[in-house]
Amino acid sequence: MSDNGAKIALITGGTAGFGAATARRFVREGWKVVITGRREQRLGQLQDELGGADVVHAITLDMRDRAAVEQALGDLPPAFRDVDVLVNNAGLALGIEPAWGCDMDEWETMVDTNIKGVLYATRTLLPAMVERNRGHIINLGSVAGNYAYPGGNVYMGTKAFVKQFSLGLRADLYGKPIRVTNVEPGLSESEFSVVRYRGDQEKADSLYEGKSPLTPDDIAECIYWAASLPPHVNINRIEVMPVTQSFAGLHAKPTE
Ligand code: NDP
Ligand code: 8X3
């Protein structure tokens, strides 16, 4: 909480999709936010849109750079230092090929961003939450951490890690008033698929076509809801899908 009583949320990956929508949702409720991302211009635009530097502290940051994350999040300006909610949102999928055809660099990028980035941010901010005896860590898992689909291989593995890490944090924090939530969305329209398809907008659009996918605002609503419940309530997991999606998917096909 800041000196003027406003609560503070730190949202990684605030330049697009869920992160930007979440920043808007929290600011609308009177919170101050710290947003991070690699695209400086986007951070500046969102900062301007949401009321400027008194309300939004923007940090240009690559979550894979451990020293940079530790430095930036470990040394926040006083007005943004007492983070009430950390939203570990920055992440990505790269590719949808079967495991034997994947690019090892892309696998490493997913592990470094989706797993290590979450670890760096959490490990940097958690001690102060424990010291203050207040806080909430909200991680972006995925239905991909719960169910398997072809081509999901390493991306699914990273999100399964995030789910289990969330449970582990909750186990470690048992007895302390610090909350942990894993938000596990299904098909949601954002830049996620353009990134996954390596810039192929047409392919990304066709994935969502006619399916009424979730929107970033839907996910921001889930995140804000978990954060705004009374302090004695911990939402462990939120799994959310569009009505058009299902986990029913066991198939059998002839061997080639
Ligand atoms: P977007 O692609 O729209 O946004 C991803 C955000 O992550 C951007 O702000 C991007 O910022 C940031 N990011 C990616 N890599 C890095 C990095 N190395 N360092 C810093 N920031 C980074 O995707 P979504 O909003 O849809 O996804 C957000 C999270 O939700 C991800 O963790 C994703 O796995 C998860 N998710 C998404 C689903 C979907 O269907 N869309 C469903 C379930 C989970 P920048 O590029 O500026 O660095
Ligand atoms: C993103 C959802 O189903 O594309 O995490 O893996 S999915």
Side-chain angles (χ1 to χ4, degrees):
M1 199 177 292
S2 59
D3 285 348
N4 68 2
K7 288 191 180 168
I8 299 166
L10 189 149
I11 302 155
T12 67
T15 56
F18 302 169
T22 302
R24 291 188 179 100
R25 186 70 181 90
F26 277 79
V27 169
R28 204 166 90 208
E29 302 295 335
W31 290 54
K32 300 205 299 187
V33 294
V34 181
I35 50 172
T36 75
R38 290 165 300 178
R39 287 170 288 180
E40 193 170 2
Q41 201 185 0
R42 292 258 192 120
L43 291 171
Q45 283 165 352
L46 191 57
Q47 188 185 51
D48 291 345
E49 176 194 322
L50 295 180
D54 289 342
V55 179
V56 178
H57 180 60
I59 307 174
T60 309
L61 190 58
D62 187 326
M63 295 308 295
R64 295 168 296 177
D65 184 340
R66 175 176 161 182
V69 174
E70 288 173 348
Q71 202 279 325
L73 303 196
D75 191 22
L76 292 165
F80 291 89
R81 189 161 293 158
D82 293 344
V83 173
D84 294 284
V85 177
L86 164 63
V87 184
N88 276 315
N89 164 75
L92 78 172
L94 289 170
I96 189 93
E97 290 76 26
W100 60 88
C102 289
D103 179 330
M104 184 55 85
D105 288 341
E106 291 187 335
W107 275 7
E108 282 190 340
T109 299
M110 288 188 275
V111 168
D112 290 348
T113 312
N114 302 359
I115 296 181
K116 291 189 182 175
V118 170
L119 299 183
Y120 301 155
T122 303
R123 182 63 185 84
T124 303
L125 289 173
L126 189 55
M129 287 184 178
V130 170
E131 207 170 293
R132 287 196 304 275
N133 228 15
R134 56 179 291 139
H136 192 167
I137 295 180
I138 303 182
N139 292 328
L140 262 297
S142 168
V143 295
N146 304 337
Y147 314 104
Y149 58 84
N153 44 66
V154 168
Y155 177 68
M156 294 189 308
T158 66
K159 293 302 180 180
F161 173 89
V162 170
K163 176 169 73 172
Q164 201 64 6
F165 182 57
S166 303
L167 294 175
L169 286 173
R170 182 113 171 79
D172 288 351
L173 288 163
Y174 180 62
K176 299 187 188 301
I178 297 171
R179 305 189 285 185
V180 183
T181 302
N182 197 42
V183 179
E184 302 163 4
L187 189 76
S188 315
E189 188 160 10
S190 66
E191 291 177 10
F192 178 83
S193 292
V194 187
V195 172
R196 177 169 232 172
Y197 294 130
R198 308 178 184 98
D200 188 336
Q201 183 73 55
E202 225 173 283
K203 214 165 165 183
D205 290 346
S206 72
L207 176 72
Y208 301 120
E209 211 175 310
K211 296 190 187 127
S212 304
L214 299 171
T215 67
D217 286 344
D218 294 328
I219 304 308
E221 195 59 36
C222 293
I223 293 170
Y224 183 73
W225 175 72
S228 60
L229 287 167
H232 67 283
V233 181
N234 192 93
I235 301 297
N236 298 332
R237 299 171 51 213
I238 303 177
E239 185 184 282
V240 49
M241 287 179 176
V243 172
T244 54
Q245 191 176 30
S246 171
F247 45 79
L250 289 181
H251 302 290
K253 66 177 178 179
T255 308
E256 286 160 18

